[in-house]
mmCIF file of all heavy atoms in Angstrom:
data_model
loop_
_atom_site.group_PDB
_atom_site.id
_atom_site.type_symbol
_atom_site.label_atom_id
_atom_site.label_comp_id
_atom_site.label_asym_id
_atom_site.label_seq_id
_atom_site.Cartn_x
_atom_site.Cartn_y
_atom_site.Cartn_z
ATOM 1 N N ARG A 114 168.137 -86.869 -65.024
ATOM 2 C CA ARG A 114 167.277 -87.083 -63.860
ATOM 3 C C ARG A 114 166.275 -88.224 -64.059
ATOM 4 O O ARG A 114 166.078 -89.045 -63.164
ATOM 5 C CB ARG A 114 166.552 -85.782 -63.514
ATOM 6 C CG ARG A 114 165.689 -85.920 -62.271
ATOM 7 C CD ARG A 114 165.353 -84.601 -61.620
ATOM 8 N NE ARG A 114 164.473 -84.806 -60.496
ATOM 9 C CZ ARG A 114 164.862 -85.228 -59.307
ATOM 10 N NH1 ARG A 114 166.141 -85.458 -59.081
ATOM 11 N NH2 ARG A 114 164.000 -85.411 -58.318
ATOM 12 N N THR A 115 165.652 -88.284 -65.220
ATOM 13 C CA THR A 115 164.658 -89.343 -65.454
ATOM 14 C C THR A 115 165.291 -90.722 -65.367
ATOM 15 O O THR A 115 164.750 -91.636 -64.718
ATOM 16 C CB THR A 115 163.996 -89.158 -66.832
ATOM 17 O OG1 THR A 115 163.339 -87.890 -66.867
ATOM 18 C CG2 THR A 115 162.965 -90.253 -67.082
ATOM 19 N N LYS A 116 166.452 -90.894 -65.999
ATOM 20 C CA LYS A 116 167.134 -92.189 -65.950
ATOM 21 C C LYS A 116 167.564 -92.531 -64.526
ATOM 22 O O LYS A 116 167.522 -93.699 -64.114
ATOM 23 C CB LYS A 116 168.351 -92.177 -66.881
ATOM 24 C CG LYS A 116 168.001 -92.177 -68.351
ATOM 25 C CD LYS A 116 169.256 -92.208 -69.218
ATOM 26 C CE LYS A 116 168.902 -92.228 -70.696
ATOM 27 N NZ LYS A 116 170.113 -92.232 -71.550
ATOM 28 N N ILE A 117 167.985 -91.523 -63.780
ATOM 29 C CA ILE A 117 168.415 -91.748 -62.394
ATOM 30 C C ILE A 117 167.248 -92.233 -61.546
ATOM 31 O O ILE A 117 167.356 -93.234 -60.832
ATOM 32 C CB ILE A 117 169.018 -90.455 -61.806
ATOM 33 C CG1 ILE A 117 170.388 -90.169 -62.433
ATOM 34 C CG2 ILE A 117 169.130 -90.547 -60.282
ATOM 35 C CD1 ILE A 117 170.946 -88.812 -62.092
ATOM 36 N N ILE A 118 166.125 -91.529 -61.612
ATOM 37 C CA ILE A 118 164.953 -91.920 -60.819
ATOM 38 C C ILE A 118 164.475 -93.310 -61.217
ATOM 39 O O ILE A 118 164.155 -94.153 -60.361
ATOM 40 C CB ILE A 118 163.820 -90.883 -60.977
ATOM 41 C CG1 ILE A 118 164.236 -89.525 -60.390
ATOM 42 C CG2 ILE A 118 162.543 -91.377 -60.300
ATOM 43 C CD1 ILE A 118 164.543 -89.528 -58.915
ATOM 44 N N ASP A 119 164.438 -93.582 -62.526
ATOM 45 C CA ASP A 119 163.997 -94.908 -62.995
ATOM 46 C C ASP A 119 164.918 -96.010 -62.452
ATOM 47 O O ASP A 119 164.446 -97.085 -62.039
ATOM 48 C CB ASP A 119 163.982 -94.960 -64.520
ATOM 49 C CG ASP A 119 162.840 -94.148 -65.123
ATOM 50 O OD1 ASP A 119 161.926 -93.765 -64.363
ATOM 51 O OD2 ASP A 119 162.865 -93.894 -66.339
ATOM 52 N N LYS A 120 166.227 -95.767 -62.463
ATOM 53 C CA LYS A 120 167.176 -96.765 -61.982
ATOM 54 C C LYS A 120 167.012 -96.995 -60.495
ATOM 55 O O LYS A 120 167.035 -98.153 -60.027
ATOM 56 C CB LYS A 120 168.611 -96.319 -62.294
ATOM 57 C CG LYS A 120 169.670 -97.351 -61.896
ATOM 58 C CD LYS A 120 169.468 -98.645 -62.645
ATOM 59 C CE LYS A 120 170.488 -99.688 -62.262
ATOM 60 N NZ LYS A 120 170.285 -100.974 -62.981
ATOM 61 N N ILE A 121 166.833 -95.931 -59.730
ATOM 62 C CA ILE A 121 166.688 -96.077 -58.280
ATOM 63 C C ILE A 121 165.402 -96.837 -57.951
ATOM 64 O O ILE A 121 165.400 -97.714 -57.083
ATOM 65 C CB ILE A 121 166.721 -94.702 -57.594
ATOM 66 C CG1 ILE A 121 168.122 -94.094 -57.724
ATOM 67 C CG2 ILE A 121 166.338 -94.812 -56.126
ATOM 68 C CD1 ILE A 121 168.228 -92.667 -57.249
ATOM 69 N N ILE A 122 164.322 -96.539 -58.658
ATOM 70 C CA ILE A 122 163.070 -97.279 -58.443
ATOM 71 C C ILE A 122 163.262 -98.756 -58.770
ATOM 72 O O ILE A 122 162.779 -99.639 -58.049
ATOM 73 C CB ILE A 122 161.932 -96.658 -59.281
ATOM 74 C CG1 ILE A 122 161.540 -95.295 -58.702
ATOM 75 C CG2 ILE A 122 160.720 -97.584 -59.329
ATOM 76 C CD1 ILE A 122 160.548 -94.522 -59.545
ATOM 77 N N GLU A 123 163.979 -99.045 -59.842
ATOM 78 C CA GLU A 123 164.265 -100.439 -60.219
ATOM 79 C C GLU A 123 165.030 -101.158 -59.103
ATOM 80 O O GLU A 123 164.715 -102.304 -58.764
ATOM 81 C CB GLU A 123 165.078 -100.450 -61.508
ATOM 82 C CG GLU A 123 165.544 -101.825 -61.958
ATOM 83 C CD GLU A 123 166.557 -101.742 -63.092
ATOM 84 O OE1 GLU A 123 166.371 -100.909 -63.997
ATOM 85 O OE2 GLU A 123 167.550 -102.500 -63.056
ATOM 86 N N ILE A 124 166.022 -100.484 -58.527
ATOM 87 C CA ILE A 124 166.805 -101.076 -57.435
ATOM 88 C C ILE A 124 165.922 -101.337 -56.229
ATOM 89 O O ILE A 124 165.981 -102.406 -55.607
ATOM 90 C CB ILE A 124 167.982 -100.151 -57.060
ATOM 91 C CG1 ILE A 124 168.990 -100.070 -58.205
ATOM 92 C CG2 ILE A 124 168.674 -100.644 -55.786
ATOM 93 C CD1 ILE A 124 170.035 -98.988 -58.023
ATOM 94 N N ILE A 125 165.090 -100.356 -55.877
ATOM 95 C CA ILE A 125 164.208 -100.498 -54.715
ATOM 96 C C ILE A 125 163.249 -101.671 -54.918
ATOM 97 O O ILE A 125 163.030 -102.473 -54.009
ATOM 98 C CB ILE A 125 163.439 -99.188 -54.471
ATOM 99 C CG1 ILE A 125 164.402 -98.076 -54.022
ATOM 100 C CG2 ILE A 125 162.346 -99.382 -53.423
ATOM 101 C CD1 ILE A 125 163.784 -96.695 -53.997
ATOM 102 N N LYS A 126 162.688 -101.773 -56.113
ATOM 103 C CA LYS A 126 161.711 -102.842 -56.377
ATOM 104 C C LYS A 126 162.344 -104.229 -56.339
ATOM 105 O O LYS A 126 161.678 -105.211 -56.003
ATOM 106 C CB LYS A 126 161.046 -102.611 -57.736
ATOM 107 C CG LYS A 126 160.036 -101.472 -57.723
ATOM 108 C CD LYS A 126 159.351 -101.326 -59.074
ATOM 109 C CE LYS A 126 158.262 -100.265 -59.024
ATOM 110 N NZ LYS A 126 157.583 -100.099 -60.318
ATOM 111 N N SER A 127 163.623 -104.329 -56.692
ATOM 112 C CA SER A 127 164.275 -105.644 -56.733
ATOM 113 C C SER A 127 164.913 -106.025 -55.395
ATOM 114 O O SER A 127 165.345 -107.167 -55.231
ATOM 115 C CB SER A 127 165.328 -105.681 -57.836
ATOM 116 O OG SER A 127 166.361 -104.756 -57.572
ATOM 117 N N ALA A 128 164.966 -105.090 -54.447
ATOM 118 C CA ALA A 128 165.581 -105.379 -53.145
ATOM 119 C C ALA A 128 164.777 -106.444 -52.399
ATOM 120 O O ALA A 128 163.549 -106.490 -52.497
ATOM 121 C CB ALA A 128 165.678 -104.103 -52.320
ATOM 122 N N GLN A 129 165.486 -107.273 -51.644
ATOM 123 C CA GLN A 129 164.843 -108.384 -50.936
ATOM 124 C C GLN A 129 164.884 -108.258 -49.415
ATOM 125 O O GLN A 129 164.004 -108.778 -48.728
ATOM 126 C CB GLN A 129 165.522 -109.705 -51.333
ATOM 127 C CG GLN A 129 165.472 -110.023 -52.810
ATOM 128 C CD GLN A 129 164.058 -110.279 -53.289
ATOM 129 O OE1 GLN A 129 163.286 -110.974 -52.627
ATOM 130 N NE2 GLN A 129 163.695 -109.711 -54.420
ATOM 131 N N LYS A 130 165.898 -107.567 -48.872
ATOM 132 C CA LYS A 130 166.075 -107.565 -47.416
ATOM 133 C C LYS A 130 166.109 -106.173 -46.803
ATOM 134 O O LYS A 130 165.422 -105.909 -45.819
ATOM 135 C CB LYS A 130 167.361 -108.309 -47.047
ATOM 136 C CG LYS A 130 167.358 -109.779 -47.434
ATOM 137 C CD LYS A 130 168.692 -110.424 -47.092
ATOM 138 C CE LYS A 130 168.718 -111.886 -47.517
ATOM 139 N NZ LYS A 130 170.040 -112.503 -47.235
ATOM 140 N N SER A 131 166.946 -105.298 -47.342
ATOM 141 C CA SER A 131 167.133 -104.003 -46.686
ATOM 142 C C SER A 131 167.391 -102.885 -47.679
ATOM 143 O O SER A 131 167.921 -103.117 -48.775
ATOM 144 C CB SER A 131 168.304 -104.079 -45.698
ATOM 145 O OG SER A 131 169.530 -104.246 -46.386
ATOM 146 N N LEU A 132 167.004 -101.665 -47.264
ATOM 147 C CA LEU A 132 167.275 -100.457 -48.030
ATOM 148 C C LEU A 132 167.751 -99.375 -47.066
ATOM 149 O O LEU A 132 167.073 -99.076 -46.082
ATOM 150 C CB LEU A 132 166.017 -99.966 -48.752
ATOM 151 C CG LEU A 132 165.522 -100.797 -49.941
ATOM 152 C CD1 LEU A 132 164.088 -100.429 -50.280
ATOM 153 C CD2 LEU A 132 166.427 -100.605 -51.154
ATOM 154 N N TYR A 133 168.926 -98.826 -47.328
ATOM 155 C CA TYR A 133 169.434 -97.676 -46.587
ATOM 156 C C TYR A 133 169.524 -96.535 -47.588
ATOM 157 O O TYR A 133 170.111 -96.701 -48.660
ATOM 158 C CB TYR A 133 170.818 -97.951 -46.003
ATOM 159 C CG TYR A 133 170.822 -98.824 -44.770
ATOM 160 C CD1 TYR A 133 170.278 -100.100 -44.783
ATOM 161 C CD2 TYR A 133 171.378 -98.371 -43.573
ATOM 162 C CE1 TYR A 133 170.287 -100.897 -43.648
ATOM 163 C CE2 TYR A 133 171.397 -99.154 -42.436
ATOM 164 C CZ TYR A 133 170.847 -100.431 -42.479
ATOM 165 O OH TYR A 133 170.864 -101.212 -41.359
ATOM 166 N N ILE A 134 168.966 -95.374 -47.229
ATOM 167 C CA ILE A 134 168.936 -94.275 -48.194
ATOM 168 C C ILE A 134 169.040 -92.934 -47.484
ATOM 169 O O ILE A 134 168.491 -92.747 -46.392
ATOM 170 C CB ILE A 134 167.647 -94.352 -49.054
ATOM 171 C CG1 ILE A 134 167.685 -93.340 -50.204
ATOM 172 C CG2 ILE A 134 166.401 -94.179 -48.216
ATOM 173 C CD1 ILE A 134 166.604 -93.554 -51.264
ATOM 174 N N GLU A 135 169.779 -92.007 -48.098
ATOM 175 C CA GLU A 135 169.830 -90.620 -47.660
ATOM 176 C C GLU A 135 169.397 -89.770 -48.834
ATOM 177 O O GLU A 135 169.930 -89.919 -49.946
ATOM 178 C CB GLU A 135 171.243 -90.229 -47.214
ATOM 179 C CG GLU A 135 171.730 -91.011 -46.011
ATOM 180 C CD GLU A 135 172.966 -90.384 -45.364
ATOM 181 O OE1 GLU A 135 173.368 -89.271 -45.768
ATOM 182 O OE2 GLU A 135 173.525 -91.007 -44.447
ATOM 183 N N LEU A 136 168.449 -88.864 -48.607
ATOM 184 C CA LEU A 136 167.904 -88.101 -49.734
ATOM 185 C C LEU A 136 167.199 -86.835 -49.278
ATOM 186 O O LEU A 136 166.935 -86.638 -48.099
ATOM 187 C CB LEU A 136 166.953 -88.962 -50.565
ATOM 188 C CG LEU A 136 165.551 -89.254 -50.014
ATOM 189 C CD1 LEU A 136 164.726 -89.953 -51.090
ATOM 190 C CD2 LEU A 136 165.534 -90.058 -48.748
ATOM 191 N N TRP A 137 166.877 -86.005 -50.266
ATOM 192 C CA TRP A 137 166.174 -84.748 -50.069
ATOM 193 C C TRP A 137 164.708 -84.901 -50.439
ATOM 194 O O TRP A 137 164.311 -85.846 -51.126
ATOM 195 C CB TRP A 137 166.815 -83.646 -50.910
ATOM 196 C CG TRP A 137 168.256 -83.415 -50.613
ATOM 197 C CD1 TRP A 137 169.308 -84.198 -51.002
ATOM 198 C CD2 TRP A 137 168.825 -82.355 -49.840
ATOM 199 N NE1 TRP A 137 170.490 -83.678 -50.533
ATOM 200 C CE2 TRP A 137 170.226 -82.538 -49.824
ATOM 201 C CE3 TRP A 137 168.292 -81.232 -49.177
ATOM 202 C CZ2 TRP A 137 171.092 -81.673 -49.173
ATOM 203 C CZ3 TRP A 137 169.142 -80.359 -48.526
ATOM 204 C CH2 TRP A 137 170.525 -80.576 -48.518
ATOM 205 N N ALA A 138 163.904 -83.924 -50.019
ATOM 206 C CA ALA A 138 162.459 -83.989 -50.237
ATOM 207 C C ALA A 138 162.108 -84.115 -51.712
ATOM 208 O O ALA A 138 161.193 -84.856 -52.087
ATOM 209 C CB ALA A 138 161.787 -82.743 -49.647
#
Side-chain angles (χ1 to χ4, degrees):
R114 183 160 177 79
T115 300
K116 289 182 179 179
I117 288 170
I118 295 299
D119 288 347
K120 183 61 181 179
I121 292 172
I122 289 173
E123 175 191 319
I124 293 169
I125 292 170
K126 286 183 175 180
S127 64
Q129 301 294 316
K130 297 177 182 178
S131 68
L132 289 164
Y133 283 58
I134 188 168
E135 297 194 7
L136 75 172
W137 302 76

